[in-house]
Each structure stands twice: as structure tokens, then as C-alpha cells.
Amino acid sequence: MMNTEKFDLPDGVNIRYSKPSDHPRIIKVMKDWWDGRDLTPMLPRLFLEHFFNTSMVMEDRENELIAFLIGFLSQSQANEGYIHFVGVHPEYRGSGLGTYLYHRFFQTCRENNRAIVRTCTSPVNKGSIEFHKKMGFQIEPGNGQQLNVTVTLDYNSPGDPKVLFVKKVSDHV
Ligand SMILES: CC(C)(COP(=O)(O)OP(=O)(O)OC[C@H]1O[C@@H](n2cnc3c(N)ncnc32)[C@H](O)[C@@H]1OP(=O)(O)O)[C@@H](O)C(=O)NCCC(=O)NCCS
């Protein structure tokens, strides 16, 4: 497992691995960053307690949170990593921060012999679907269509379809 480290990005943006105390500031911004959808019940503090050193935050010069990624190395699937959430401050979108976070997580997976990365999103989240396609993810076959995208029906609970994404990040493990 990698240790927490900090390094500079161009334009005054810093990235570092997260720590448990980042949890309150992450959940504080989520509703705004997700267009008013409150997804905070899906990010209980345990993610920051147990996966902080595979999760990342980005901050500006004033240490304001501008992006985060919550990810982990699967305990049960020995060849896989999973991205649970990614969010970029609306004013910073479209400048590659999401890509940077994903590439860092892919690197973390490779360093830990994980060749597969999985994630999922809701069919209503068209921006997320486009972003994941740009990141090179494939959509899993699924068992339904909603809003013109292939979904796995009743994934988390009845009436809760998800778009399941998978990407191979290494040929060597
Ligand atoms: C999805 C999200 C993380 C993307 O972050 P970002 O920093 O803006 O993404 P990038 O700038 O790295 O974009 C990478 C590519 O994806 C594309 N992309 C990103 N968001 C997009 C959108 N909403 N619609 C269409 N394409 C999009 C970009 O155009 C870019 O393509 P390019 O390489 O051809 O230029 C950000 O929009 C966000 O925080 N959304 C709200 C939270 C959310 O839905 N998270 C995902 C589900 S957990």
C-alpha cells in the first residue's frame, strides 16, 4: 500500500491521499456538486476511515477542496480496484482534474497488482457516463435499457438501475 504523499500539479492545484478528517468537508460539498442530488448516505465515514490511502483529494492554494476520488482495492476480488465516487468542483470541470484523479488511481491499482477497475453510475447521470466512456471504460452487458443506456436493473435495490463500468488498466497482472 502506498503512503500518503503530496505533490504539485500545474496551476496551484495540489493532490494528496485523503485522511479520515476529510470526510466532513467532502460530504459538505456533495449536494452542490451533484446538482442537488443528496448522495451523502452512500458515503459514510467508514470509506475515509478504511480507504483513505487509496482515496484522494485536490485542493487549491487556499486549501479549499476542489476535487476528490473515493476508491479502494477490493478485498474480495484480488485483481480489482473500485472507484466509489469522484467529484470535481463545478468551476474546475473540463480542465482535466477528473482525468488526473482517475489516472492516479489506475496507477495505484497497477502498483498493487490490480488489472481491473470497476465503477458504476446512475443512468440519469449523463455527464458521468460520458466521462467514463472518455476514460476508456466499457459498459457491462446488463439486462435492460434506460434513458438510451444499458443498465443492470434493481442493482442496489428494487427500482434502482445502475450503469456498470469496467476497464482493464494493465496487461501485466
Ligand atoms: C464527472 C466529473 C468528475 C468529470 O470531471 P472533470 O474534471 O470535469 O473531467 P475532465 O476535465 O477530466 O474530462 C475528461 C473527459 O470527459 C469529458 N467529460 C467530462 N464531463 C463531461 C460531461 N458532463 N459531459 C460530457 N463529457 C464530459 C470531457 O469533455 C473530457 O473529454 P476530452 O478528453 O475529449 O476533452 C465532473 O463533471 C463531476 O464532478 N460531476 C459531478 C459528480 C459526478 O457525477 N461524479 C461521477 C459519478 S460518482
Side-chain angles (χ1 to χ4, degrees):
M1 195 75 68
M2 296 168 68
N3 293 323
T4 300
E5 61 183 63
K6 187 166 181 172
F7 57 91
D8 288 333
L9 284 168
D11 72 1
V13 173
N14 285 333
I15 182 173
R16 62 167 170 80
Y17 289 103
S18 65
K19 48 195 181 197
S21 59
D22 287 316
H23 182 254
R25 58 205 295 249
I26 289 173
I27 60 168
K28 190 174 170 199
V29 300
M30 282 179 69
K31 197 170 170 187
D32 274 351
W33 292 12
W34 265 258
D35 288 331
R37 293 168 70 209
D38 183 9
L39 301 183
T40 57
M42 290 175 65
L43 187 58
R45 185 163 176 134
L46 71 88
F47 282 93
L48 274 296
E49 292 286 346
H50 294 282
F51 305 123
F52 62 84
N53 56 348
T54 51
S55 299
M56 291 164 261
V57 298
M58 284 181 171
E59 294 163 320
D60 68 8
R61 285 195 179 87
E62 283 75 46
N63 288 329
E64 290 295 322
L65 183 68
I66 55 172
F68 66 89
L69 180 151
I70 307 296
F72 58 88
L73 306 175
S74 174
Q75 177 170 316
S76 302
Q77 307 287 355
N79 194 30
E80 299 188 8
Y82 188 86
I83 297 172
H84 185 51
F85 271 110
V86 62
V88 174
H89 189 298
E91 289 174 15
Y92 284 84
R93 288 182 193 162
S95 54
L97 298 191
T99 301
Y100 197 96
L101 284 166
Y102 265 52
H103 286 173
R104 286 289 303 169
F105 186 74
F106 297 161
Q107 182 64 25
T108 297
C109 286
R110 286 189 284 269
E111 288 166 358
N112 288 276
N113 300 320
R114 310 293 172 125
I116 303 293
V117 173
R118 293 185 189 276
T119 187
C120 78
T121 201
S122 294
V124 294
N125 196 340
K126 293 299 179 196
S128 174
I129 293 166
E130 290 310 309
F131 171 73
H132 284 97
K133 286 182 185 168
K134 286 281 169 73
M135 292 299 100
F137 283 82
Q138 305 293 318
I139 297 177
E140 295 271 41
N143 56 6
Q145 285 280 321
Q146 284 202 1
L147 303 171
N148 295 319
V149 66
T150 300
V151 297
T152 300
L153 297 165
D154 305 326
Y155 186 68
N156 283 323
S157 59
D160 185 12
K162 291 291 179 204
V163 184
L164 306 188
F165 292 103
V166 61
K167 178 179 166 73
K168 190 174 175 187
V169 295
S170 173
D171 291 327
H172 303 295
V173 285

